[in-house]
Amino acid sequence: MKHYDFDTVIKRYGTGSYKWDEMTKVSNVGKDVIPFSVADMELVNPPEIIDGLKDFLNHSVLGYAQPTDAYINAVQNWILRRHNWKIEPEWIKDGPGVINAFFTAVKAFTKEGDGVMLMTPVYYPMYYAIERNNRVLVDNKLIVCGDHYEIDFDDFEQKAKDPNTKMLILCSPHNPTGRVWTNEELQRIGRICIDNNVIVVSDEIHNDIIMPGYKHTVFASICDDFAQNSITCTSPSKTFNIAGLQTANMIIPSKELRDIYWKEICTTEGNPKCNILGLEACRLAYEKCEEWLEQLIKLIDTNQKIVSDFVKKEFPQIKVFRLEGTYLLWMDFSELGIECRELSRILKEEAHLFFDDGYIFGEQGAGFERWNLACPTKYIYPALERLKTTLRRHI
Ligand SMILES: Cc1ncc(COP(=O)(O)O)c(C=O)c1O
């Protein structure tokens, strides 16, 4: 078995990395500090992607692109192999990203004033898709149960029944809580949505990164009714650390929904085209990088255990949520009694710990932090020591 490099960090100062640039704006951090915020990875890409892209560049012209048969096959095979869902070529609509896709879906399938449901706290651009398009947030708050969140189905059903609620943006697996919804939970969600004419946009960008012992179910794969009432957003970007290549695949089995979605894209974007290198990287990833992914999952699982064990021992007041999927660990610091913006300042400026502050994911996230664990394990230990020393000074 090939042993991949999950140890080297490429320092991204001044390379146009959003995450690193934001960190250096906040604080003059030392050169050994790596950020744990924005969801890309401090890991080198799979060599199969880098070498494959170099080879492609040596033999190609960078003109306008469209998906090749090999690309479509790679996407179909990946989804079948990893997610047990057989999709048809015409269901796939490639696009520049999943955020772009749920913004498009909101505009395509709802009108101003319509309600769009989110299960909160949740990935913050989902709120923007609602607010910036003058739709109304239908807030189904998740409930904390011990070390994980559960769905308040009574509230969900009541809100879905409101005739003004037209869409659910489902985050599955769920960012930031780390939940991988069970098949039973998804069945209940799907049935309520069908009964109440609520269309489901299932953002499954994290669906390849599932921790041992958990199983992800693609919402649309549960039954044809769900498939016909949904759009599934997938992407190799989180899984293989290629977010900068802006390539995603939306799977839309219903011809009616597909046509409406595509019309919206053609209206707003004028000339939708894809990124030739993004397409090639996606094909390479899905064809050649499965073993890399298996090793990545082990790394994330190791990192989450180290953080969980340390925090439970040193700071039992901080609640670490169970990581079922994604590489984003959700932690509740609120029992420390430090105001959330002050907590953020202390962590960043004093501890040089750059997490994502929980309040950006909605009001229930105040006092929480989201730790991006996709980095070499050796960076976790000093970060924990900095956390310990700094917090001890404040509590
Ligand atoms: C749930 C979720 N959806 C979408 C995205 C971003 O997708 P894209 O870069 O394809 O727009 C992220 C990135 O963190 C995410 O966590």
Side-chain angles (χ1 to χ4, degrees), residues 39 97-99 102 123 126 171 175 203 205-206 237-238:
V98 168
I99 298 179
F102 59 67
Y123 182 55
M126 293 177 177
C171 194
N175 173 10
D203 175 344
I205 196 166
H206 294 280
S237 68
K238 299 287 154 204

Side-chain angles (χ1 to χ4, degrees), residues 38-40 95-102 122-126 170-176 203-206 233-235 237-238 243-244 246-248 326-328 361 370:
V38 177
D40 59 25
V98 168
I99 298 179
N100 175 287
F102 59 67
V122 78
Y123 182 55
Y124 52 93
M126 293 177 177
L170 173 68
C171 194
S172 175
H174 191 267
N175 173 10
D203 175 344
E204 303 199 16
I205 196 166
H206 294 280
C233 306
T234 72
S235 173
S237 68
K238 299 287 154 204
Q246 301 288 160
T247 300
T326 83
Y327 48 74
L328 307 163
F361 301 94
R370 192 193 72 172

